[in-house]
Amino acid sequence: MKIFKSLFLLLSVLLFNESFSQSYIGYNADNYSGIHGVTHNPSNIFGSNFKTDVNLISVSGFTGSDYFGINFSSILSGNFDVDEDSERFVSDKNNFFLNTDILGPSFMFNINKKSSIGIITRARVFFNLNNINGELFEAIEDDFESDSNVAFGSQNLNGTIHAWTEIGIAYGRLLMDKQNHILKGGVTLKYLQGAGALFTNSPGLTGQYNNVTETLTTQGELNYGTTEDFDSDDLGFDNLTAGFGLDLGFTYQWHPNREDDSTPIYKDHYKLKAGIAITDIGSIKYKNAERTTYNMNNTVDASSFDDLEEFLDDNYNNTDVIEDTKIQLPTALHLLVDYRLAKKWLVSAQANLSLVKKENDLASSIINTVTIAPRLETKWFSFYTPLSFRQYGDFAFGGGFRLGPLSVGSGSIFSNLLSDSSKTTDVFFGLKVPIYRK
């Protein structure tokens, strides 16, 4: 049984050690993104500009919180101080999130004039902590050593850490081919291998800490659980659990200048492209997961607080249940509109929307984002400057480029450098072997 505090420890390590971890923001709209675009919409695999696209290794990370606002320029200068270079936005419902996406050896190629196929390998880690009272977070972070009284109340508190790998078979096909109108569809069937999960929830938890008597009075219920042998401080992929997932997508393209329907669509630039996809449909079922329920109605001595699991076990009545548990994937809806301003200049608008209920502690989820990204796009080089509006009120402005086999970027690098209180950050890097069509 793992400690509930590991939720907080994991986030602290990630935020304060420059481990940035939404994926490939800006780059995934590029018509030369290849296999990366397939991860957001599997219909992108058909009609691409590649004979073959082989990904060697790519890493993308996205992290943030509406509790912390961090001065990233201080981090880059090496003089970062948590108290001086971070601003805290304490509320009754603070949220923390992180996802890391490692795209391993993957490839795609054309079967014939109407269909394409690909193999995708990935390793992914998601962290979500929703609706935690900021006063409670600070009290746990400080081991209940505050110099003043603290009162807190959290409703529908929940959190999840989940790590898994996946192998996907992507297939795309031309569904409609008229002179000026193209419709294509795609699907990715994924075999999942879960490394494990930690999950917690509380329908209601209130409390008061008295700094004079060093006592903590709480009311409510707290639940947390872990899959068998899961350790969030040392994620391992040697004891995996199988599951299945699905991505499904469609793309429409308008080609007003196409001479006839025999002209390959990759040879005729579209004026407008619109796509819709649902990704990460599915779940992983873990056997013998342990869930502990604590009755939090008690007044206890908080001066001995150190390890949260031990503190809970020593001071609160609890019951343990061993049961099979399903962890839902971060199911999401992706919408894209891409418009060609000139031959090499385009602008895209994307929406990435979570389809997971926020109160679900047995699921990972993305945060909702809307991104507008102007870009210069050529065969060997692309440059893009995404502007994003992100859930929890953060605005992000970034940049990135593709230079042949190399892609590097961040959807928030410029706003992180200019702002003294950034709530989100992301970065990606990729290396591939592109084999272009003639």
Side-chain angles (χ1 to χ4, degrees), residues 5 47 71 98 149 164 171 194 260 308 322 418:
K5 192 176 181 181
N71 188 334
L98 172 144
N149 295 333
W164 73 96
Y171 175 77
D260 55 65
L308 183 55
I322 304 296
L418 295 173

Side-chain angles (χ1 to χ4, degrees), residues 86-128:
S86 65
E87 185 177 358
R88 304 195 179 200
F89 303 91
V90 179
S91 75
D92 292 338
K93 295 183 177 182
N94 283 126
N95 304 272
F96 301 82
F97 49 89
L98 172 144
N99 78 68
T100 301
D101 187 346
I102 301 174
L103 186 63
S106 307
F107 63 92
M108 53 182 275
F109 61 90
N110 305 300
I111 300 176
N112 51 46
K113 293 181 179 181
K114 290 190 175 182
S115 56
S116 302
I117 196 169
I119 302 295
I120 302 172
T121 66
R122 300 167 80 182
R124 303 167 72 184
V125 179
F126 268 73
F127 167 85
N128 298 98

Side-chain angles (χ1 to χ4, degrees), residues 8 54 60 82 105 108 125 135 203 222 236 283 300 306 321 334 358 375 399:
F8 308 104
V54 181
S60 176
V82 174
M108 53 182 275
V125 179
E135 298 283 356
L222 178 65
S283 62
V300 301
D306 181 29
V321 176
H334 304 275
K358 189 177 179 180
R375 73 182 185 276

Side-chain angles (χ1 to χ4, degrees), residues 184-372:
K184 52 187 182 179
V187 61
T188 301
L189 302 177
K190 301 192 284 190
Y191 176 69
L192 312 171
Q193 294 186 303
L198 185 155
F199 41 92
T200 184
N201 77 78
S202 175
L205 180 62
T206 60
Q208 307 83 35
Y209 169 73
N210 188 313
N211 73 302
V212 176
T213 61
E214 296 186 340
T215 56
L216 175 65
T217 301
T218 54
Q219 304 86 32
E221 179 184 286
L222 178 65
N223 307 282
Y224 79 78
T226 62
T227 58
E228 193 173 20
D229 299 325
F230 177 72
D231 186 351
S232 61
D233 297 324
D234 185 20
L235 296 178
F237 291 87
D238 53 350
N239 186 19
L240 302 175
T241 300
F244 296 93
L246 173 71
D247 298 346
L248 181 65
F250 299 90
T251 299
Y252 164 79
Q253 295 178 191
W254 177 43
H255 295 254
N257 299 317
R258 192 177 182 212
E259 295 181 356
D260 55 65
D261 57 11
S262 65
T263 303
I265 59 175
Y266 67 88
K267 288 187 176 182
D268 183 88
H269 293 307
Y270 63 79
K271 186 67 174 179
L272 176 70
K273 178 170 74 172
I276 182 171
I278 298 179
T279 60
D280 291 321
I281 303 169
S283 62
I284 300 175
K285 183 178 181 179
Y286 293 93
K287 295 182 178 181
N288 301 321
E290 183 176 21
R291 181 185 288 267
T292 303
T293 299
Y294 289 94
N295 182 342
M296 301 298 292
N297 298 322
N298 203 359
T299 298
V300 301
D301 179 9
S303 62
S304 61
F305 184 93
D306 181 29
D307 180 273
L308 183 55
E309 182 186 15
E310 293 181 2
F311 183 77
L312 292 172
D313 287 338
D314 292 343
N315 292 284
Y316 299 96
N317 295 327
N318 64 83
T319 56
D320 293 334
V321 176
I322 304 296
E323 59 187 2
D324 294 348
T325 300
K326 282 186 178 181
I327 306 297
Q328 182 182 342
L329 298 182
T331 311
L333 173 67
H334 304 275
L335 303 173
L336 168 71
V337 176
D338 195 32
Y339 185 77
R340 190 177 301 274
L341 302 171
K343 183 178 180 180
K344 299 178 181 179
W345 293 94
L346 301 92
V347 59
S348 65
Q350 289 180 285
N352 300 300
L353 307 174
S354 175
L355 297 180
V356 176
K357 293 182 179 179
K358 189 177 179 180
E359 60 270 19
N360 188 352
D361 68 312
L362 298 178
S364 300
S365 62
I366 68 169
I367 69 164
N368 298 325
T369 63
V370 175
T371 301
I372 298 174

